[in-house]
Each structure stands twice: as structure tokens, then as C-alpha cells.
């Protein structure tokens, strides 16, 4: 199998697997005062320090969650939908995107945000818009927003800002302290950690209300016994990231060749002129719906996707592409290729051969 769906989830890193296996030997509850509990607590706090270092935050600003979706939900808690301005390319877990009372921030045909749109919407709502929620990098198109500039603008306009950094983690430098944002969400399984664990980074933990009643875990903001294995795996995955710039350069070289070959076959690269993640290509395939492409590629041993894994099973096409102005017919022909640490040049060669053969066979059948 050739795995080209890293934006959905990355294969578990061996470092994370080993760390989790060792943690299985720990029997104590992290909140217990005895030695067994202290051993478990030490592992959690070591992981917290690793995550904090990776995102430029303090350990006490890190709240562990069940993943990026919960982290986003926690960040939205406490404000009314009409107070939020949400990017139109936001992940579905930023639920206010789908609330008619919320304000949507448009994106252009290249997936970019116009700063003037933020100013216009804030001014036209006469003080009702107080919060801004944006993805740092879109999980489908790979478009990277100038998040530092946008965070500065939010500060100038008096907005508190939440950043969905799930797809950005491990693919670019992160300095939470420098951003001045209210919060940042991240997830372990996008960087080779286990699924089911993530984190919300908060500028002021005490300013966020608890999400439910429980014990005093996670600064009394998320009660319940911590997911020790998941958190340990998260910390190990963060420590194993290595040189982000070096890996991004390698993936960018693969992507450049991939996209040149795809274009030569008549495919259209989405948001090609925009800054994008080095590992991500979304392409509109001529004359073939996404689901048929995925089926044919899967039969050939290649795993890709048609967009967000959280929207699997939907046939109406990508909501992100719709927000960019793509007609429904084109949106339903989209294919996302997302690479990662185990992707090789040979695998890209095999994908391109299979993709070309798929198009040739479809053309021959249509002629027949």
C-alpha cells in the first residue's frame, strides 16, 4: 500500500509506539499522591513540557484534550455565535461556521483571506463581532494563511483570536507567545502521535470556564482521569519531529514534480498561486468524480482522499472548494494527495503512473 493521506492521519511514529508501550507498565492514577501516581504524573508533565516547547508556550498554558475537535469546541465555549467571525475554510469542528447567526469570513478563488474583509465585517456589525476563528493551514487545499499578520490585525480591531493549528503543527514554526492569540488547537495524530489526544493552548487558562463538572484535572478546566497513554505518545511524537524545515524542503521537491506531471495530464491544481503546505496537493481531475477516483486508486493500493476525513461519506463536494467559488461539478472531482515522512520518490512515481493509467482507461471507455 502507498499511503498519501497524511492530512487525515499520519502513521504512528515508532518513538510514540515505544513510549506508549512503556507507559502500559504504569498502574497509578496521575492524581494519586503515592509513588505510582507520581510516576504517572511525571510522564504527563514531561509530555506537557514537550508540547509547550514545540509551540512556544508555557507548560501551564497547555490543556490536554481528546483531539483537535474538542480543543476547538473548548475555544468556542462562552461566546455567542453572533460574536464570532469564522473563516469560510474552517474545519467543521469550528461549529459556528454552520450557525446562521455567526459571521463568515470569505476566501477568494485562491483560498486566501482579504484583510479588508475582516475590517469591513467588524465595522458593519457595530461592536457585535468580538472573536475571530481561523485555520492556520487548510487541511484540504493546504493554503497557509498569514496568521501572524492576521493576529496583529485582530489585536488592532480589539478581537480575541482562536487559531486552529491542527494541520500546521509539525509543518512550520510555531511561537504561541509571539502570536498574541487567545488560543491554539493542535492534535497528536497529525504528526505521528496516537489518535484521541490533542491540546488547547490558552493565553490565560483561568479565563476559560470548565467544560464540564469533574475533578481538578487540567487546571480544573477538563475534569476526568487523563489519557496517560495518549498524552505520553503525543509527547514522544513531538520530540521526534526533527528538522521541520528539512522535511518541508524534501516534500516540496516531491510536490513540485507531482504537480507538474498532474498538470501535463490536464488536471487542475487548486490554489496553485497561494502559499501552501509542502505536503499537500488538491487537484481537480478531468471527467471523473472523486469517489470513482478513490475507488480505482484504492484497488491499485494507493490511499488518498477527496478532502476532510471528517466529511467522509458526503457526496456534495468540498465545502472549502464551494467557498472558493468552484462549481459543484468541479468540487465533486477533487482529489487530495497529502504526503509525509515515509513518502518516497518511488511512491510518487507509482501514483503518477496509476493516475495516468486511470485517466487513459476512462478516456478509452468514454470513446467506446
Amino acid at each position: 500500500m502507498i499511503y498519501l493521506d497524511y492530512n487525515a492521519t499520519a502513521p504512528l511514529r515508532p518513538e510514540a509506539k515505544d513510549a506508549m508501550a512503556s507507559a502500559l507498565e504504569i498502574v497509578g492514577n496521575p492524581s494519586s499522591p503515592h509513588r505510582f501516581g507520581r510516576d504517572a504524573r511525571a510522564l504527563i508533565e514531561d509530555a506537557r513540557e514537550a508540547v509547550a516547547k514545540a509551540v512556544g508556550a508555557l507548560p501551564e498554558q497547555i490543556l490536554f484534550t481528546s483531539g483537535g475537535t474538542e480543543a476547538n469546541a473548548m475555544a468556542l465555549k462562552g461566546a455567542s455565535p453572533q460574536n464570532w467571525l469564522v473563516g469560510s475554510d474552517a474545519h467543521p469542528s469550528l461549529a459556528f461556521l454552520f450557525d446562521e447567526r455567526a459571521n463568515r469570513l470569505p476566501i477568494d478563488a485562491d483560498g486566501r483571506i482579504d484583510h479588508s474583509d475582516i475590517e469591513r465585517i467588524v465595522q458593519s456589525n457595530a461592536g457585535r463581532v468580538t472573536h475571530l476563528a481561523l485555520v492556520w493551514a487548510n487541511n484540504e487545499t493546504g493554503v497557509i494563511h498569514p496568521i501572524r499578520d492576521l493576529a496583529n490585525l485582530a489585536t488592532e480591531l480589539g478581537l480575541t483570536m482562536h487559531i486552529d493549528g491542527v494541520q500546521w503543527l509539525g509543518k512550520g514554526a510555531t511561537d504561541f507567545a509571539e502570536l498574541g492569540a487567545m488560543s491554539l488547537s493542535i492534535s497528536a495524530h497529525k504528526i505521528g502521535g496516537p489518535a484521541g489526544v490533542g491540546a488547547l493552548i490558552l493565553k490565560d487558562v483561568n479565563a476559560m470556564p470548565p467544560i464540564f463538572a469533574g475533578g481538578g484535572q487540567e487546571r480544573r478546566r477538563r475534569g476526568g482521569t487523563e489519557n496517560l497513554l495518549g498524552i505520553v505518545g503525543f509527547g514522544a511524537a513531538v520530540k521526534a519531529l526533527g528538522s521541520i524545515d528539512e522535511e518541508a524542503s524534501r516534500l516540496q521537491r516531491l510536490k513540485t514534480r507531482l504537480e507538474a506531471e498532474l498538470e501535463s495530464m490536464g488536471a487542475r491544481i487548486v490554489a496553485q498561486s497561494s502559499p501552501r503546505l509542502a505536503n499537500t496537493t488538491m487537484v481537480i481531475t478531468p471527467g471523473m468524480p472523486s469517489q470513482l477516483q478513490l475507488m480505482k486508486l484504492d484497488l491499485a493500493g494507493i490511499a488518498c482522499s477527496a478532502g476532510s476525513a471528517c466529511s467522509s461519506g458526503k457526496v456534495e463536494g468540498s465545502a472549502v472548494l464551494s467557498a472558493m467559488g468552484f462549481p459543484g461539478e468541479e468540487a465533486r472531482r477533487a482529489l487530495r494527495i497529502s504526503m509525509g515522512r515515509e513518502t518516497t520518490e518511488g511512491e510518487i512515481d507509482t501514483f503518477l503512473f496509476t493516475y495516468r493509467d486511470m485517466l487513459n482507461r476512462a478516456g478509452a471507455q468514454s470513446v467506446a
Side-chain angles (χ1 to χ4, degrees), residues 307-322:
S308 174
C310 299
S311 300
S312 60
K314 298 181 180 180
V315 296
E316 65 269 22
S318 164
V320 174
L321 292 184
S322 295

Side-chain angles (χ1 to χ4, degrees), residues 99-147:
D99 193 306
E100 293 181 355
R101 295 169 293 171
N103 304 278
R104 295 194 183 191
L105 179 62
I107 53 176
D108 66 17
D110 293 310
R112 293 175 295 202
I113 291 171
D114 190 327
H115 288 48
S116 64
D117 283 330
I118 299 177
E119 297 173 343
R120 173 181 55 80
I121 294 171
V122 170
Q123 292 167 2
S124 65
N125 278 272
R128 289 191 300 273
V129 175
T130 55
H131 295 70
L132 175 64
L134 300 175
V135 292
W136 197 325
N138 183 263
N139 66 313
E140 296 186 25
T141 65
V143 171
I144 302 169
H145 295 307
I147 212 70

Side-chain angles (χ1 to χ4, degrees), residues 173-204:
T174 305
D175 190 337
F176 181 71
E178 177 190 85
L179 291 174
M182 171 185 68
S183 52
L184 171 73
S185 55
I186 56 176
S187 184
H189 73 112
K190 306 298 187 181
I191 62 167
V197 61
L200 179 65
I201 298 90
L202 291 161
K203 184 176 182 180
D204 182 2

Side-chain angles (χ1 to χ4, degrees), residues 285-307:
T285 301
M288 187 176 295
S290 303
Q291 295 305 314
L292 182 57
Q293 295 179 63
L294 294 176
M295 180 183 71
K296 289 180 176 295
L297 289 168
D298 187 51
L299 289 172
I302 299 173
C304 296
S305 73

Side-chain angles (χ1 to χ4, degrees), residues 53-105:
K53 182 178 179 180
V55 298
L58 299 172
E60 55 265 31
Q61 293 177 305
I62 308 295
L63 297 183
F64 286 118
T65 69
S66 64
T69 290
E70 184 191 339
N72 281 338
M74 290 173 68
L76 298 181
K77 187 177 177 63
S80 300
Q82 60 266 28
N83 298 136
W84 282 91
L85 176 56
V86 184
S88 292
D89 63 339
H91 187 271
S93 60
L94 289 172
F96 287 164
L97 176 64
F98 304 102
D99 193 306
E100 293 181 355
R101 295 169 293 171
N103 304 278
R104 295 194 183 191
L105 179 62

Side-chain angles (χ1 to χ4, degrees), residues 255-263 269 272 276 280-281:
K255 187 177 79 167
T256 298
R257 190 168 68 84
L258 168 69
E259 293 185 352
E261 292 290 336
L262 289 171
E263 283 191 293
I269 309 300
Q272 190 171 24
R276 290 177 293 138
T280 305
T281 293

